[in-house]
Amino acid sequence: MASKEIPYKIYLEESEMPTAWYNLRADMKVKPAPLLNPQTLKPASLDELSAVFCRELAEQELNDTDPYIPIPEEIRSFYKMYRPSPLVRAYCLEKKLGTPAKIYYKFEGNNTSGSHKLNSAIAQAYYAKKQGLRGVTTETGAGQWGTALSMACSYFDLDCKVFMVKVSYEQKPFRREVMRTYGASVTPSPSETTAIGRKILAEHPGTGGSLGCAVSEAVECAVSNDGYRYVLGSVLNQVLLHQSVIGLETKAALDKYGIKADVIIGCAGGGSNLGGLIAPFVGEQLRGEANYRFVAVEPASCPSLTRGKFAYDYADTGMICPLAKMYTIGADYIPAPNHAGGLRYHGMNGTLSELRHQGILDAVSYTQTDVFSAAVEFARVEGILPAPESSHAIRAAIDEALRCKETGKEETIVFGLTGTGYFDLYGYQKFNDGLLETYIPSDEELAKSLEKLPKVNG
Amino acid sequence: MASKEIPYKIYLEESEMPTAWYNLRADMKVKPAPLLNPQTLKPASLDELSAVFCRELAEQELNDTDPYIPIPEEIRSFYKMYRPSPLVRAYCLEKKLGTPAKIYYKFEGNNTSGSHKLNSAIAQAYYAKKQGLRGVTTETGAGQWGTALSMACSYFDLDCKVFMVKVSYEQKPFRREVMRTYGASVTPSPSETTAIGRKILAEHPGTGGSLGCAVSEAVECAVSNDGYRYVLGSVLNQVLLHQSVIGLETKAALDKYGIKADVIIGCAGGGSNLGGLIAPFVGEQLRGEANYRFVAVEPASCPSLTRGKFAYDYADTGMICPLAKMYTIGADYIPAPNHAGGLRYHGMNGTLSELRHQGILDAVSYTQTDVFSAAVEFARVEGILPAPESSHAIRAAIDEALRCKETGKEETIVFGLTGTGYFDLYGYQKFNDGLLETYIPSDEELAKSLEKLPKVNG
């Protein structure tokens, strides 16, 4: 098998697509710590979670025993419209770098939402529809998640209410317009439509909003409207479960051609892409069947895995969602205003945090100028204009390939290319004009934002 | 074969990709009329064309005898980065329409240029590089062609000078930014950098420019700079030759599953996509091997095939390019300012015009509100956000499918989905807000713009 010629793009057949998601927690001996109810500080129950989330999604959130969860037929049909996604051999990038390394990327950007977010959006919309709900609410910052959810809700004829951080709403009118085209209502946050929104507007007139505020409005909107639930595009284990389709396809494609990865790299904000990509490979390793190096790549301006603390923290700035044990730089932390892409969450998915804590997951961080220079280098040889988030993984993959060039090792590097940058051209423009600034928080700044960790940590 | 289950997306293997372009003119008994030198009004010679275009491209332009022209290995390598493109079965659209028709679309939008234009851009850049040129010049309106050419030139390390219609330059800063990211220089036209630009600026201070003016600047820039040639993204036969890769892949995919098309539909501005898509099928028909219905779809606001005259006309408003015999509404015709997409060329590729004249090619036109409503309907069920240009073909395909619903005929409809609409959200926003207006030129307006046809028509 190993001598089979590797095409530029490996596409699986539809018949080779996964029929079940992989639930990594089932194979972990030391499980991630449970979510805690923010009032009682006791493990959140299924009923408590079901008040906010769809019932079956809440069940998935708590399930750390079943290794495989079947993908419903309706979701598999939708997946077939844009999946399997290609695993691409970066022949041109390898040549440009002059590296003996073999570089592959799993490209998730070939759908209108422009990213992997659609993999979980369609699952969450499906369960909402199955439960007989009228609609769902969510928040969006950069807009990838909101776009994905709008598409998914349009497909299942569900109402979709998106609270979009006001500054993003104003700066990215095209993102907003895509969501509207898919029938979603998009409200700039903070808004007059919720009590929390009115409170914040009264206290901070003219504010541009924040992700934490938009979460609070979306949750309030869900719990105060009959037939609505709140949905989320990252951080939660249910999201990583759905995103395992990325890793399962990647593994199937590598296996098909007898390719063995040495390093697997993904960008990490809340962890949805990284967790989905590495899940089946981590499972192999936990079962003693293989050995990989896993690398999380995050922005230097929001360094939860590289400089954060492993502790229980609030999942949202409004402190209404369950507490999670995770690497965090504090729920009040907000990246510098010049931060151009996503990956701006203060914490990290609990499962990935536990893997990091166990020494299974490496983590590195890069400044955004380093990231954009990798993005442009990649775009020019591989054609694809990457999202700034995805470009973190590109930067790390390039650096790994250059390391191989020094050592002469023919390693196989696999990374997740989560999406495209068509709606991120403000960032590219700043970079092209030499105006993009880097920001690295000081130790004092991080220590200060970590002062407010909840008392449950003792 | 015919009973084989049809996947949502038919991908060819790399080994099934075309190794030669198909030159339809070789199979035409009555050939398209020759291009004429605008000064002498005699057929343009290879040497005359080579002063403006790359030598091998000029040869391709004049070649109406060789049915197959091998695709150079370097171009095939580049094609492999984003091709083969999928032939998609529109299962969800069929279901939504309740039609017995089977609908397929060849999707060319899965590359960063966002359209099929890259198929010819990479070929033209290759021949420029092979000829030892330093760079190429071109014009761009909406920006798809400029983006594609920027990508192609970046790949072959050629300088790329794009003259972008000023009003578009200002309204589409993100299109401009993608081109800059790929290393192109983008100049708003009219500019102070050319004699013709300075003349126009003196005569029309504050003008937003036009495609015709941008062509003239690009040609002047090419002929007045050593080592440069001018390249063009549509209208020419060389472009249709390169775009035949669309039709060849489509035919190979249909043949692979034993599918026989009844109707083949493409949007048409200069004809690059339509000509490429239908070429091998028209060839079959001309050889008496099959029978299809071919439909060109154009905007009601720029109706060359449906309301134009079949005559020699200027290819550009500056009247410096060769004359072509084609369906035209006059070189001075400019679509109404509210026209949202591309497909704004006053004429049509000469080969397609000849096919229309021979009764082989049907043509229909739609207003842009009809087109955008089809775009939104398609996006919501098929996921892909289509370009306004492509949505003309969607509109026609939907109407054909609804006709089948009435008649009960199980016809197979194939259409070209040329690109994505990520940079066209101004148009979507207008449509979503109910502000998109339709425009249909009056007979008097068309008669007036046709008054200036060159005298060679007698």
Side-chain angles (χ1 to χ4, degrees):
Chain A
M1 279 293 277
S3 64
K4 202 164 164 183
E5 195 185 341
I6 312 293
Y8 277 65
K9 298 181 301 302
I10 304 176
Y11 277 108
L12 300 175
E13 303 286 328
E14 280 180 10
S15 57
E16 297 169 311
M17 287 173 67
T19 56
W21 292 303
Y22 173 62
N23 183 16
L24 172 61
R25 287 167 293 166
D27 278 327
M28 291 172 74
K29 278 176 197 158
V30 179
K31 311 279 186 193
L35 297 175
L36 301 184
N37 179 312
Q39 270 86 48
T40 65
L41 299 183
K42 289 183 180 159
S45 71
L46 178 61
D47 283 344
E48 284 166 356
L49 290 178
S50 300
V52 178
F53 302 114
C54 301
R55 185 85 184 179
E56 283 194 66
L57 292 168
E59 285 171 5
Q60 291 177 358
E61 193 62 36
L62 296 176
N63 185 336
D64 59 9
T65 50
D66 296 329
Y68 287 98
I69 295 179
I71 306 174
E73 183 55 40
E74 292 86 342
I75 297 173
R76 289 172 60 200
S77 283
F78 188 89
Y79 278 172
K80 285 179 188 170
M81 286 209 291
Y82 71 100
R83 308 198 66 81
S85 68
L87 181 69
V88 186
R89 174 79 182 265
Y91 282 116
C92 296
L93 180 62
E94 291 171 17
K95 191 174 159 193
K96 167 92 188 313
L97 298 173
T99 177
K102 295 171 182 65
I103 307 174
Y104 294 86
Y105 54 91
K106 179 70 168 169
F107 180 44
E108 292 288 317
N110 270 350
N111 71 73
T112 289
S113 80
S115 82
H116 67 293
K117 296 281 185 185
L118 194 54
N119 301 330
S120 184
I122 193 64
Q124 297 193 46
Y126 166 78
Y127 290 115
K129 187 72 179 178
K130 192 179 168 197
Q131 190 171 327
L133 298 179
R134 290 167 50 210
V136 293
T137 71
T138 200
E139 80 291 332
T140 201
Q144 284 184 332
W145 168 245
T147 309
L149 190 66
S150 304
M151 291 176 66
C153 286
S154 164
Y155 185 76
F156 282 123
D157 199 20
L158 276 171
D159 187 36
C160 180
K161 297 183 191 296
V162 179
F163 290 86
M164 188 171 185
V165 178
K166 187 183 269 177
V167 61
S168 180
Y169 180 92
E170 286 163 358
Q171 283 179 358
K172 294 194 169 189
F174 294 161
R175 267 284 180 211
R176 182 182 76 206
E177 213 51 46
V178 180
M179 290 183 254
R180 284 183 70 205
T181 298
Y182 282 95
S185 74
V186 187
T187 305
S189 169
S191 75
E192 296 284 351
T193 68
T194 65
I196 184 92
R198 291 188 291 273
K199 181 164 177 283
I200 291 169
L201 283 172
E203 288 170 3
H204 307 279
T207 177
S210 72
L211 208 51
C213 165
V215 173
S216 304
E217 286 204 88
V219 173
E220 179 185 329
C221 180
V223 297
S224 58
N225 277 286
D226 266 356
Y228 281 79
R229 289 293 185 284
Y230 168 69
V231 298
L232 187 62
S234 191
V235 182
L236 297 173
N237 285 317
Q238 58 187 265
V239 178
L240 266 70
L241 175 72
H242 308 146
Q243 297 294 357
S244 70
V245 69
I246 304 172
L248 291 164
E249 281 186 11
T250 302
K251 187 157 173 0
L254 292 173
D255 288 351
K256 190 172 180 175
Y257 284 86
I259 304 161
K260 165 71 177 61
D262 294 294
V263 190
I264 305 177
I265 299 169
C267 62
S272 68
N273 152 69
L274 176 69
L277 173 65
I278 68 175
F281 300 96
V282 173
E284 261 190 300
Q285 183 150 325
L286 291 175
R287 296 189 302 271
E289 298 162 5
N291 194 39
Y292 301 103
R293 197 152 63 83
F294 301 105
V295 183
V297 193
E298 58 184 15
S301 55
C302 194
S304 58
L305 282 173
T306 48
R307 297 175 65 197
K309 191 170 171 182
F310 187 52
Y312 268 107
D313 198 3
Y314 300 101
D316 61 316
T317 45
M319 303 179 184
I320 50 179
C321 294
L323 302 187
K325 189 168 185 187
M326 57 186 175
Y327 278 88
T328 176
I329 48 176
D332 278 352
Y333 183 82
I334 294 178
N338 69 20
H339 182 80
L343 310 183
R344 47 172 70 237
Y345 187 64
H346 66 279
M348 180 57 60
N349 164 267
T351 304
L352 290 175
S353 292
E354 180 59 38
L355 292 174
R356 170 85 174 129
H357 185 63
Q358 293 179 19
I360 294 168
L361 177 62
D362 281 352
V364 295
S365 74
Y366 287 103
T367 63
Q368 62 180 354
T369 45
D370 282 346
V371 165
F372 270 88
S373 74
V376 172
E377 184 171 9
F378 181 83
R380 290 191 181 186
V381 292
E382 289 289 321
I384 297 166
L385 187 79
E389 297 81 16
S390 324
S391 304
H392 287 74
I394 296 173
R395 173 79 274 163
I398 289 177
D399 285 355
E400 290 285 334
L402 292 176
R403 178 182 55 72
C404 289
K405 187 177 179 178
E406 278 180 23
T407 62
K409 282 191 185 165
E410 287 187 31
E411 292 187 18
T412 294
I413 300 165
V414 175
F415 72 91
L417 189 71
T418 53
T420 49
Y422 302 128
F423 294 97
D424 301 290
L425 284 155
Y426 278 124
Y428 275 96
Q429 184 167 5
K430 276 192 185 170
F431 178 76
N432 291 335
D433 290 336
L435 299 174
L436 199 69
E437 290 170 6
T438 62
Y439 180 77
I440 302 175
S442 67
D443 289 342
E444 292 70 28
E445 187 179 349
L446 292 183
K448 186 150 183 263
S449 77
L450 280 167
E451 278 170 8
K452 294 185 194 165
L453 286 184
K455 290 185 182 161
V456 65
N457 291 300
Chain B
M1 279 294 277
S3 63
K4 201 165 165 182
E5 193 186 343
I6 311 292
Y8 276 64
K9 300 182 299 303
I10 304 175
Y11 277 109
L12 299 175
E13 304 284 329
E14 279 181 10
S15 57
E16 296 169 311
M17 287 173 67
T19 56
W21 293 302
Y22 173 61
N23 183 16
L24 172 61
R25 289 167 292 168
D27 279 327
M28 291 173 72
K29 277 174 198 157
V30 179
K31 311 279 185 191
L35 297 175
L36 300 186
N37 179 312
Q39 269 88 47
T40 66
L41 298 184
K42 290 186 179 155
S45 70
L46 178 60
D47 283 343
E48 285 166 356
L49 290 179
S50 302
V52 177
F53 303 114
C54 302
R55 186 85 184 180
E56 283 192 67
L57 291 168
E59 284 171 5
Q60 292 178 356
E61 194 61 36
L62 296 176
N63 185 336
D64 59 9
T65 51
D66 296 328
Y68 288 97
I69 295 179
I71 307 174
E73 181 56 39
E74 291 86 342
I75 297 174
R76 290 173 59 200
S77 285
F78 188 88
Y79 279 170
K80 286 181 188 170
M81 286 209 290
Y82 71 100
R83 307 197 69 81
S85 69
L87 181 69
V88 186
R89 173 78 182 266
Y91 281 116
C92 296
L93 180 62
E94 291 171 18
K95 191 175 159 192
K96 166 92 188 314
L97 298 173
T99 177
K102 295 171 183 64
I103 309 174
Y104 294 86
Y105 53 91
K106 180 70 169 169
F107 180 43
E108 292 287 318
N110 270 350
N111 71 73
T112 288
S113 79
S115 82
H116 66 293
K117 296 282 185 184
L118 195 53
N119 301 330
S120 184
I122 193 64
Q124 297 193 46
Y126 166 78
Y127 291 114
K129 187 72 180 181
K130 191 177 169 201
Q131 191 171 327
L133 298 178
R134 289 167 51 206
V136 294
T137 71
T138 200
E139 78 292 333
T140 200
Q144 284 184 333
W145 169 245
T147 309
L149 190 67
S150 304
M151 289 176 68
C153 286
S154 164
Y155 185 76
F156 282 124
D157 199 19
L158 275 171
D159 187 36
C160 179
K161 297 183 191 297
V162 179
F163 290 85
M164 186 171 187
V165 178
K166 188 185 270 178
V167 61
S168 180
Y169 180 92
E170 285 163 359
Q171 283 178 359
K172 295 195 169 188
F174 294 161
R175 266 285 180 213
R176 181 182 77 204
E177 213 51 46
V178 180
M179 291 183 254
R180 283 183 69 205
T181 298
Y182 282 96
S185 74
V186 187
T187 305
S189 168
S191 75
E192 296 284 351
T193 68
T194 64
I196 184 92
R198 290 187 293 272
K199 181 164 177 285
I200 291 168
L201 283 172
E203 288 169 4
H204 308 279
T207 176
S210 73
L211 209 52
C213 166
V215 173
S216 303
E217 286 205 270
V219 173
E220 179 185 330
C221 180
V223 298
S224 58
N225 277 286
D226 266 355
Y228 282 78
R229 288 295 185 281
Y230 167 70
V231 298
L232 187 61
S234 191
V235 183
L236 298 173
N237 285 317
Q238 59 187 261
V239 177
L240 265 72
L241 176 72
H242 308 146
Q243 296 295 356
S244 70
V245 70
I246 303 173
L248 291 165
E249 281 187 10
T250 301
K251 189 158 172 358
L254 292 172
D255 289 350
K256 189 172 180 175
Y257 285 86
I259 305 160
K260 164 72 176 62
D262 295 296
V263 191
I264 305 177
I265 299 169
C267 62
S272 68
N273 151 70
L274 176 70
L277 173 65
I278 67 175
F281 300 95
V282 173
E284 262 190 300
Q285 184 150 324
L286 292 175
R287 295 188 302 269
E289 299 163 5
N291 194 38
Y292 301 100
R293 197 152 63 82
F294 301 105
V295 183
V297 194
E298 57 183 17
S301 55
C302 194
S304 59
L305 282 173
T306 49
R307 299 175 65 197
K309 192 169 171 182
F310 186 53
Y312 268 106
D313 198 3
Y314 299 102
D316 61 317
T317 45
M319 305 180 182
I320 49 178
C321 294
L323 301 186
K325 188 167 186 188
M326 57 185 175
Y327 279 88
T328 177
I329 47 177
D332 278 352
Y333 183 83
I334 293 179
N338 69 19
H339 182 79
L343 311 182
R344 47 173 70 238
Y345 187 63
H346 67 278
M348 181 58 60
N349 164 267
T351 304
L352 289 175
S353 293
E354 180 59 38
L355 292 174
R356 171 87 174 127
H357 185 63
Q358 294 179 20
I360 294 169
L361 177 63
D362 280 353
V364 295
S365 73
Y366 288 103
T367 63
Q368 61 181 355
T369 45
D370 283 346
V371 165
F372 270 89
S373 73
V376 172
E377 185 172 9
F378 181 83
R380 289 190 181 187
V381 292
E382 289 289 321
I384 296 166
L385 186 81
E389 298 80 16
S390 325
S391 304
H392 287 73
I394 296 174
R395 173 79 273 163
I398 288 177
D399 285 357
E400 290 286 335
L402 292 176
R403 179 183 54 71
C404 289
K405 187 178 179 178
E406 279 181 23
T407 62
K409 282 192 185 163
E410 288 187 29
E411 291 187 20
T412 295
I413 301 165
V414 175
F415 72 91
L417 189 71
T418 53
T420 50
Y422 303 127
F423 294 98
D424 301 290
L425 284 154
Y426 278 122
Y428 275 95
Q429 184 167 5
K430 275 191 186 171
F431 177 76
N432 290 336
D433 289 337
L435 299 174
L436 199 69
E437 291 170 5
T438 62
Y439 180 77
I440 302 175
S442 67
D443 289 343
E444 292 70 27
E445 186 179 350
L446 293 183
K448 185 152 184 263
S449 76
L450 280 166
E451 277 172 8
K452 295 185 193 164
L453 285 184
K455 291 185 183 161
V456 66
N457 292 301

